[in-house]
């Protein structure tokens, strides 16, 4: 039986363009966000996929708490539902998420909506770069959708807390999705301590992509995850800096046929707890 779940996770630019022109168009969410420019509203207004609604990752896809909670704690179900309704999502709607960062930020919306019970959520493979490369049109200005009526629930996808992350490597594979130099503790530009959770293995999120474009094939991704020790019978969990790009890694694992757990607090939470040990070797 094939483990390839690409069609369940991704949609191509041409397929999205056809869907937008159909009688059953998906809700398209534009999650423009970068660490150096968290507010992407101006970029969205300057040019976006027709009908795409801007999503603010910092305020709509995250809560805010103490540093010991991490930089991007998961939003409550109520918070996310209110946001999804503002985006125009109604019961039974298909949703497509995109960004201009190779799905690094869009995957956060993909994970949250899937976890909240939205059955059909897909990532635009290659994002806006691929959309433009396909010669497809952009529109300017803000998009103000009609209020939706979606009802969300919690607990649809697994998560692990800081205590669970600490012991996860004892029985499974814990993947650190940050750049290698941060994993090894050589640099730490954001969080208070450098290094990684003891027992975690490193796979930078960018390794999921083909030369900065779309996701690698399911077969290639599966082989690469298997090389890290991931199997159908081995639990796997993922963390990153603050729980955002870890969702991209979970999407790649899903394409390859593996279900994975998210540690939402990620390194931003772990490093703010001085009692937690830190490793700095591979």
């Amino acid at each position: 039986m094939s483990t390839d779940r690409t069609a369940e996770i991704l949609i191509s630019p041409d397929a999205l363009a056809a869907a937008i022109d159909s009688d059953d168009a998906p809700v398209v969410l534009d999650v423009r966000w970068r660490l150096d420019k968290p507010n992407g509203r101006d970029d969205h207004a300057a040019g976006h996929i027709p009908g795409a609604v801007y999503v603010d990752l910092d305020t709509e896809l995250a809560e805010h708490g103490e540093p010991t909670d991490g930089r991007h704690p998961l939003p409550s179900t109520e918070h996310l539902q209110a946001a999804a309704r503002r985006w125009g999502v109604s019961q039974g709607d298909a949703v497509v998420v995109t960004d201009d960062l190779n799905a690094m930020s869009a995957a956060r919306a993909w994970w949250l909506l899937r976890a909240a019970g939205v059955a059909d959520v897909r990532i635009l493979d290659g994002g806006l770069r691929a959309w433009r490369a396909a010669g497809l049109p952009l529109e300017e200005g803000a998009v103000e959708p009609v209020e939706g009526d979606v009802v969300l629930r919690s607990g649809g996808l697994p998560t692990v807390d800081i205590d669970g992350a600490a012991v996860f490597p004892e029985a499974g594979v814990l993947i650190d999705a940050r750049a290698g130099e941060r994993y090894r503790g050589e640099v730490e530009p954001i969080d208070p301590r450098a290094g990684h959770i003891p027992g975690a293995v490193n796979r930078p999120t960018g390794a999921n992509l083909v030369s900065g474009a779309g996701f690698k094939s399911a077969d290639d991704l599966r082989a690469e995850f298997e090389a890290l020790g991931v199997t159908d019978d081995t639990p796997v969990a993922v963390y990153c800096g603050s729980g955002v790009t870890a969702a991209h890694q979970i999407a790649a694992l899903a394409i390859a046929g593996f279900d994975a757990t998210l540690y939402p607090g990620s390194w931003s939470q772990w490093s703010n707890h001085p009692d937690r040990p830190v490793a700095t070797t591979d």
Side-chain angles (χ1 to χ4, degrees):
M1 183 176 65
S2 172
T3 57
D4 186 343
R5 293 163 56 187
T6 302
E8 176 189 336
I9 310 300
L10 304 178
I11 186 170
S12 70
D14 287 341
L16 176 57
I20 290 172
D21 288 339
S22 73
D23 294 332
D24 194 20
V27 176
V28 182
L29 305 180
D30 187 342
V31 192
R32 306 275 185 107
W33 176 90
R34 300 194 312 263
L35 274 173
D36 62 331
K37 189 179 182 182
N39 189 334
R41 195 176 297 275
D42 290 345
D43 290 336
H44 168 83
H48 55 261
I49 293 170
V53 180
Y54 175 70
V55 173
D56 188 306
L57 187 148
D58 279 340
T59 63
E60 296 181 304
L61 303 182
E63 300 278 7
H64 295 280
E66 298 300 320
T68 49
D69 297 325
R71 279 182 279 115
H72 290 108
L74 298 182
S76 68
T77 304
E78 294 75 19
H79 182 109
L80 183 62
Q81 178 175 283
R85 289 180 176 185
R86 287 195 302 272
W87 306 331
V89 182
S90 289
Q91 287 292 92
D93 280 347
V95 178
V96 174
V97 298
T98 187
D99 59 28
D100 58 355
L101 197 63
N102 294 318
M104 298 290 185
S105 54
R108 170 77 168 202
W110 169 84
W111 188 93
L112 282 170
L113 291 171
R114 294 285 287 261
V118 180
D120 186 356
V121 188
R122 284 177 288 172
I123 298 166
L124 177 61
D125 196 19
L128 285 171
R129 180 184 300 179
W131 181 270
R132 294 188 185 100
L136 295 166
L138 295 174
E139 68 176 12
E140 299 178 355
V143 175
E144 302 294 339
V146 175
E147 183 91 359
D149 63 9
V150 69
V151 177
L152 302 183
R153 56 176 174 78
S154 61
L157 292 175
T159 61
V160 65
D161 63 12
I162 192 169
D163 292 326
V167 299
F168 203 92
E170 295 175 10
V173 178
L174 179 63
I175 297 176
D176 183 320
R178 297 174 300 155
E181 58 269 24
R182 291 185 68 194
Y183 167 81
R184 293 187 296 271
E186 296 165 4
V187 298
E188 183 45 67
I190 305 167
D191 295 313
R193 292 192 291 163
H196 61 268
I197 297 173
V201 298
N202 186 220
R203 177 184 167 80
T205 303
N208 298 326
L209 301 168
V210 178
S211 301
F215 281 83
K216 292 177 179 176
S217 71
D219 287 344
D220 286 347
L221 288 170
R222 188 171 182 88
E224 292 175 16
F225 284 119
E226 286 176 342
L228 292 178
V230 179
T231 72
D232 292 327
D233 300 320
T234 305
V236 57
V238 184
Y239 73 92
C240 58
S242 67
V244 173
T245 60
H248 192 284
Q249 199 81 268
I250 290 176
L253 281 155
I255 291 167
F258 298 116
D259 294 322
T261 296
L262 174 68
Y263 169 31
S266 287
W267 187 249
S268 61
Q269 180 184 45
W270 186 279
S271 62
N272 271 290
H273 287 260
D275 58 316
R276 298 288 173 171
V278 171
T280 54
T281 58
D282 288 333

